[in-house]
């Protein structure tokens, strides 16, 4: 039996049988494997799409078991994540950042394409002081089928270079990275130069493929930036090989800040609502303060990013293009803006600031206005700027915000939640109760190819149809879970047991 009580947005559940639940056993086993695997990572992408799920799962399991050891784990993780926050853009606000989603400023990074008329030369790259005998493509690759090799002739420099895209954001931090190895006595080197001035470099001294990366701040002007593949000295015998050489900016992303912040805000709310957890009050206050003074204002007051609030929803930063070279100022995709809406709604339950709720409700209403009723089910696009339908995985972020809004008695209604439930059952489900499969997109198109195990927010729709929980349970009964999306889905199965 499921006993549930919704109090100011917190779903509190109980039942002694949960303590010997098979879902708890599965959760414990997976958490022991991966629970501590990512919270020390500094990439906002890894933290958002991995660690945030782990921290939120701790809250789920605590609410079922009432074992504060899970809250202690969350505190350890949250303290570390906050300690690793950066001010990569120098705007005075702490947060998290990554290079994973920004434009790569060089082409043919894996050397898979060859130049016209010369199969040994990678397209978009230029040889320096060689015609192909010492600088050429090879099939000894880390990814794909090709890499590039630079062989020393001990007489003159042999190199390969490419000009950096002139649309890069000058004055910003970039990450130069790639795989390399050497044979013989040489040291392989990937170098970023501004004319003759070295900005940053990576040295490879191992005979095995090794991945390296370095951060460097790019100039705002000056000579043409180039990435060079070379040796440390042309007088030393040997060769150096390179693969997957990339240069891209390290930027903050609203959805990452929000997703990382949500479990901290939810923890703070849980502590505020639970007198027995008063021993965690100092931590809860610290997390709330960090979110309110660093994360939330960052997206409207940063001199580097610019004000991302457009009066209705959040847009891409107007001052710096962190997602492409064509989209500055565009509305963010629904999941990105709704992530912040979710965070603001939770924080409002703590601080009562009407501006927080106003922003959150505006974003949620904007997203809701783009939900199309199709046969009693909602279908929506990934964003306002595309006709591509939302996918099952990112929809977890959308649904989390919709659920938070509904539970706070705000924009989303019972009818809305039933329509979202129907999206899963009428549009995405294959109809099998014993071997359920869900589509990639909310309109029922596409094969999810394994990501249809990412169901942690979808399972919350069991509040309107118990079969949703049964379908997720059917998928997980004989499934070997391996990642944090699976972990939080297991914690939700436990919660809805």
């Amino acid at each position: 039996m499921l006993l549930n009580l919704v109090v100011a947005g917190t779903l509190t559940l109980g039942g002694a049988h949960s303590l010997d639940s098979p879902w708890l056993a599965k959760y414990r086993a997976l958490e022991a494997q991966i629970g501590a695997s990512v919270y020390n990572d500094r990439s906002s992408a890894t933290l958002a799409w991995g660690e945030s799920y782990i921290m939120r799962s701790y809250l789920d399991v605590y609410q079922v078991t009432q074992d504060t050891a899970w809250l202690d784990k969350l505190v350890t993780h949250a303290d570390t994540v906050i300690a690793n926050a950066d001010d990569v853009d120098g705007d005075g606000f702490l947060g998290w950042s990554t290079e994973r989603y920004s434009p790569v400023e060089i082409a043919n990074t894996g050397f898979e394409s060859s130049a016209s008329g010369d199969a040994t030369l990678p397209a978009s790259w230029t040889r320096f002081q060689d015609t192909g005998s010492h600088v050429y493509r090879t099939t000894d690759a880390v990814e794909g089928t090709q890499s590039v090799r630079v062989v020393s002739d001990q007489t003159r420099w042999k190199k390969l270079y490419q000009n950096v895209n002139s649309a890069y954001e000058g004055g910003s931090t970039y990450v130069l990275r790639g795989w390399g190895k050497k044979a013989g006595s040489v040291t392989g080197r990937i170098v970023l130069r501004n004319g003759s001035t070295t900005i940053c470099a990576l040295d490879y001294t191992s005979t095995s493929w090794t991945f390296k990366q370095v951060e460097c701040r790019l100039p705002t002007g000056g000579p043409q930036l180039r990435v060079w593949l070379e040796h440390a000295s042309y007088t030393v015998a040997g060769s150096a090989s390179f693969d997957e050489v990339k240069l891209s900016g390290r930027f903050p992303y609203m959805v990452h800040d929000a997703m990382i912040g949500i479990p901290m805000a939810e923890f703070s709310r849980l502590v505020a609502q639970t007198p027995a957890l008063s021993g965690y009050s100092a931590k809860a206050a610290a997390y709330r303060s960090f979110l309110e003074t660093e994360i939330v204002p960052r997206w409207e007051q940063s001199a580097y990013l610019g004000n991302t609030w457009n009066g209705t929803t959040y847009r891409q930063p107007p001052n710096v293009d962190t997602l492409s070279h064509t989209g500055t100022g565009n509305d963010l995709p629904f999941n990105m803006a709704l992530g912040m809406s979710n965070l603001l709604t939770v924080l409002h339950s703590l601080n009562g600031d009407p501006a927080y709720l106003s922003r959150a409700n505006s974003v949620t209403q904007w997203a809701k206005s783009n939900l199309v009723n199709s046969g009693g089910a909602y279908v929506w696009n990934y964003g306002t700027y595309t006709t591509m339908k939302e996918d099952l995985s990112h929809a977890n972020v959308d649904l989390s915000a919709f659920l938070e809004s509904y539970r706070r008695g705000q924009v989303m209604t019972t009818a809305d939640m039933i329509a979202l439930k129907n999206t899963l059952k009428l549009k995405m489900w294959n109809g099998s109760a014993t071997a359920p499969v869900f589509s990639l997109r909310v309109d029922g198109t596409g094969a999810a190819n394994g990501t249809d195990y990412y169901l942690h927010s979808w399972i919350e729709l069991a509040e309107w149809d118990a079969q949703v929980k049964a379908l997720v349970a059917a998928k997980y009964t004989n499934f070997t879970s391996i990642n944090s999306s699976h972990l939080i889905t297991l914690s939700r199965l436990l919660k809805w047991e």
Side-chain angles (χ1 to χ4, degrees):
M1 177 183 295
L2 172 66
L3 304 176
N4 63 297
L5 176 66
V6 179
V7 181
T10 298
L11 185 64
T12 305
L13 302 124
H17 65 287
S18 298
L19 297 178
D20 56 6
S21 163
W23 301 121
L24 182 57
K26 286 177 176 287
Y27 176 88
R28 287 184 183 275
L30 182 57
E31 195 280 332
Q33 296 175 31
I34 70 169
S37 62
V38 295
Y39 73 90
N40 282 294
D41 201 298
R42 293 175 180 269
S43 167
S44 67
T46 303
L47 294 174
W49 304 112
E51 177 57 29
S52 75
Y53 296 153
I54 294 172
M55 289 193 289
R56 292 188 86 176
S57 79
Y58 291 154
L59 292 169
D60 291 338
V61 178
Y62 164 75
Q63 289 185 56
V64 173
T65 66
Q66 298 296 293
D67 183 351
T68 57
W70 299 110
L71 299 183
D72 294 337
K73 283 178 176 283
L74 186 149
V75 166
T76 296
H77 288 216
D79 285 351
T80 303
V81 169
I82 289 176
N84 286 337
D86 61 54
D87 183 12
V88 68
D89 47 35
D91 63 0
F93 294 105
L94 292 173
W96 302 278
S97 59
T98 187
E99 70 282 355
R100 192 180 300 181
Y101 296 101
S102 61
V104 176
E105 306 295 4
I106 54 177
N108 197 19
T109 60
F111 315 105
E112 297 299 310
S113 301
S114 62
S116 178
D118 185 354
T120 68
L121 176 65
S124 303
W125 294 85
T126 302
R127 293 188 181 99
F128 179 77
Q129 296 189 155
D130 188 67
T131 58
S133 58
H134 291 79
V135 180
Y136 50 85
R137 296 164 77 219
T138 172
T139 57
D140 178 17
V142 176
E143 297 182 22
T145 62
Q146 299 290 317
S147 67
V148 72
R149 183 169 295 155
V150 180
V151 181
S152 173
D153 73 352
Q154 302 182 68
T155 301
R156 61 197 309 207
W157 289 110
K158 302 292 182 180
K159 304 183 182 184
L160 192 67
Y161 71 86
Q162 184 179 150
N163 291 341
V164 172
N165 187 344
S166 60
Y168 73 86
E169 299 286 350
S172 297
T173 297
Y174 275 66
V175 179
L176 177 67
R177 59 199 186 277
W179 291 85
K181 67 175 182 176
K182 64 100 176 229
S185 301
V186 301
T187 293
R189 181 169 288 174
I190 302 174
V191 187
L192 176 64
R193 289 194 177 95
N194 185 14
S196 61
T197 302
T198 294
I199 297 175
C200 52
L202 300 166
D203 284 353
Y204 296 89
T205 58
S206 173
T207 57
S208 300
W209 282 111
T210 304
F211 177 80
K212 292 189 175 184
Q213 65 180 37
V214 63
E215 291 187 2
C216 43
R217 193 167 292 274
L218 269 56
T220 56
Q224 173 68 58
L225 287 182
R226 285 178 175 173
V227 172
W228 293 82
L229 310 180
E230 59 184 45
H231 302 138
S233 171
Y234 68 81
T235 64
V236 179
S239 67
S241 298
F242 307 96
D243 201 4
E244 297 300 322
V245 177
K246 297 178 181 179
L247 176 71
S248 52
R250 188 174 181 91
F251 300 121
Y253 294 89
M254 175 181 287
V255 67
H256 295 167
D257 275 3
M259 290 180 68
I260 299 164
I262 286 169
M264 300 178 191
E266 290 177 332
F267 168 83
S268 299
R269 180 171 64 185
L270 174 67
V271 171
Q273 294 176 345
T274 312
L277 298 179
S278 60
Y280 294 96
S281 294
K283 287 295 183 184
Y287 301 159
R288 173 183 161 186
S289 176
F290 179 83
L291 296 171
E292 292 175 348
T293 61
E294 303 288 350
I295 299 303
V296 173
R298 179 187 207 185
W299 295 99
E300 294 191 37
Q301 300 174 24
S302 168
Y304 175 81
L305 297 167
N307 184 4
T308 64
W309 179 252
N310 69 6
T312 301
T313 185
Y314 291 101
R315 58 179 173 168
Q316 295 182 32
N319 292 358
V320 57
D321 208 339
T322 63
L323 289 168
S324 69
H325 287 309
T326 59
T328 304
N330 288 349
D331 288 348
L332 287 173
F334 292 122
N335 77 89
M336 295 188 182
L338 283 168
M340 181 57 74
S341 171
N342 192 343
L343 176 63
L344 290 172
T345 307
V346 178
L347 286 173
H348 175 265
S349 68
L350 289 164
N351 62 27
D353 188 333
Y356 279 50
L357 191 60
S358 175
R359 291 280 195 273
N361 285 350
S362 179
V363 172
T364 306
Q365 185 61 58
W366 163 76
K368 178 179 175 177
S369 69
N370 284 278
L371 302 176
V372 177
N373 194 306
S374 173
Y378 278 151
V379 173
W380 66 102
N381 296 335
Y382 179 77
T384 57
Y385 54 86
T386 179
T387 59
M388 181 179 70
K389 301 307 177 190
E390 180 64 290
D391 64 86
L392 178 146
S393 180
H394 286 99
N396 281 291
V397 184
D398 306 342
L399 290 170
S400 180
F402 292 151
L403 285 157
E404 183 65 37
S405 177
Y406 170 80
R407 289 169 178 164
R408 292 291 308 285
Q410 298 301 313
V411 176
M412 303 302 289
T413 67
T414 299
D416 293 324
M417 306 316 294
I418 291 172
L420 289 165
K421 177 268 297 183
N422 288 340
T423 300
L424 186 71
K425 287 194 62 180
L426 302 182
K427 296 292 185 181
M428 304 176 73
W429 177 37
N430 69 346
S432 172
T434 56
V437 176
F438 302 104
S439 64
L440 174 64
R441 304 204 178 276
V442 296
D443 64 348
T445 62
N449 293 325
T451 59
D452 62 336
Y453 285 90
Y454 299 174
L455 295 163
H456 59 276
S457 291
W458 291 101
I459 195 176
E460 299 282 82
L461 300 175
E463 185 170 338
W464 295 274
D465 188 335
Q467 190 180 24
V468 172
K469 185 265 178 183
L471 295 175
V472 179
K475 288 191 70 67
Y476 271 78
T477 296
N478 297 311
F479 174 63
T480 301
S481 303
I482 59 174
N483 63 37
S484 57
S485 292
H486 301 153
L487 186 72
I488 190 173
T489 306
L490 287 172
S491 74
R492 297 283 163 88
L493 280 165
L494 174 66
K495 189 173 77 169
W496 282 97
E497 189 169 43

